[in-house]
Amino acid sequence: MKLIQDFNTFLVYTVNLNSTRFGQLENGIEAIKTSVRGLNWKPTIVGFAAHGSWAHKTIIKPLSGDPFDVDLLVYVKPVARWEAKDYINELYAEMGKRGLYKDKIRRYSHCITIEYAGERKIDVAPCVKERLQSGAWEVCNRGTNSFEKSNPLDYTNWLIERNAISGSNNFRKTTRLLKYLRDIKTNFTCPSFLLTTLLGMQVYASDKGTPGFVDVPTTLKTLIDRLDDWLQANPSKPTVRNPVLFEEIQSNAWDDTKYSNFRAKVNLYRGWIDDAYDEPDKEESIGKWQRVFGDDFAVREAEEKASKVSEVALAAIRGTPLLEGVGDLVALVKKIGRAALPSGFDRLPHMRRPRWRNVLGTRLSVNVGAQLWTARDGQQLHTLRSLEPLTSGFWVRFNARNNQGLPFPDTYKVEWRVTNTDEVARRANALRGDYYRSDSSGVRWEQLSYRGVHMVEAFLIRKTDDVLLGKSEPFYVVIE
């Protein structure tokens, strides 16, 4: 399901750089421009220009605790007898004389960087105009003491054209989403300039006005599908050039291992995105999109669904005389058992969808047993049944077994999805639905805490290749 409004909300509140930080950025850049103009720096300044994701309008909000950074080019005329390193070294030295920047300035290969106490970083990169050739622009590499051709304005215009073809800024929004995906997953490497080029390569002139770019989720699906097709057709690292500067090979940012991993991860996430997009059930689709983008996607909608299970269950039996006056789902389960559980209870959207690979073949049976204990290191009381009413404060020891009642061998691991529901857990900020490792081989301990009907499921994974081989039916835990 496309969930267009959920994508719009996710972009505004989670992915996009917010207005406060954008204002800080604009103010900081203007102050730096004024300072650079006032320096005793030999080059004649021609002008300034945004560069990178700021110029491309694909900048995203950094993850919590991380600074956001932007690139500012300062265009200058060449200085006689200056080498490449001189432009950066002298800019660094002169900016260091300014008290405002003295403790904030750093020097790197192509730029100086102003760092604002972990909030933001602004890179200032000299770009020399027509040093040897009319119409040529060069950035300076201090490390190699060499000038490197650059064409930032034409590259930005190329991306503007891709965005115009897609319509409604859908290319830019999709680029932000995939940069966010990269940052939260942290399991593949692709610099923003290379990722942006790869995505831009998947937009064709013939796409204008076509259904593949009609909205953000459809554009996302179109671009990730095309990118994956291109990557799968290139098992070895291909040469990816700057589309407006042939001699710049952007794919040099990868080695063979990084490329192979990127190729595999795009293929994995392409499958997840297709699955979420094609899912007809809204709650299931939310859960599948959360597998892609994390639990901040449609978070309010998912939490509301989980916290309202009693309301839904009671609405379903309203008008049934024998059940009048039942207060919540716990009380209803005590009266009519499993029939009390509302439709879709075992696939609520806040429950994390499996992240392991599935393969065709025989599935292994996984059964969950449980025992009630006074404490984790206390005394075992008795064996539990699913949906048996329990009192809070006690502990439960869950164990996963095969269809013969035996534990699984060490070549497998068992992870547990533990899901809390209903209003009491929501008020405690404890609407769990994530995966947890076994405390010991095939065993998971949980304390009984919140009134409600909750679930524990066991997932069997083969260690050698991280393939999901089986999962149990939910074991329903009813806490009074």
Side-chain angles (χ1 to χ4, degrees), residues 166-167 170-171 174 212-224:
S166 73
N170 288 335
F171 174 78
T174 295
F213 294 83
V214 68
D215 50 50
V216 170
T218 302
T219 303
L220 172 64
K221 175 177 165 55
T222 297
L223 292 185
I224 198 73

Side-chain angles (χ1 to χ4, degrees), residues 180-247:
Y180 179 84
L181 174 68
R182 175 199 61 191
D183 291 353
I184 62 167
K185 297 299 185 185
T186 68
N187 58 6
F188 67 86
T189 299
C190 189
S192 292
F193 65 85
L194 177 55
L195 179 61
T196 305
T197 295
L198 289 170
L199 293 173
M201 288 166 52
Q202 313 312 317
V203 180
Y204 317 134
S206 59
D207 287 327
K208 192 172 184 66
T210 60
F213 294 83
V214 68
D215 50 50
V216 170
T218 302
T219 303
L220 172 64
K221 175 177 165 55
T222 297
L223 292 185
I224 198 73
D225 287 0
R226 289 179 179 179
L227 177 59
D228 181 51
D229 288 344
W230 183 83
L231 292 169
Q232 298 312 307
N234 288 276
S236 299
K237 187 182 82 167
T239 298
V240 180
R241 298 182 182 274
N242 184 324
V244 298
L245 189 63
F246 184 79
E247 55 262 53

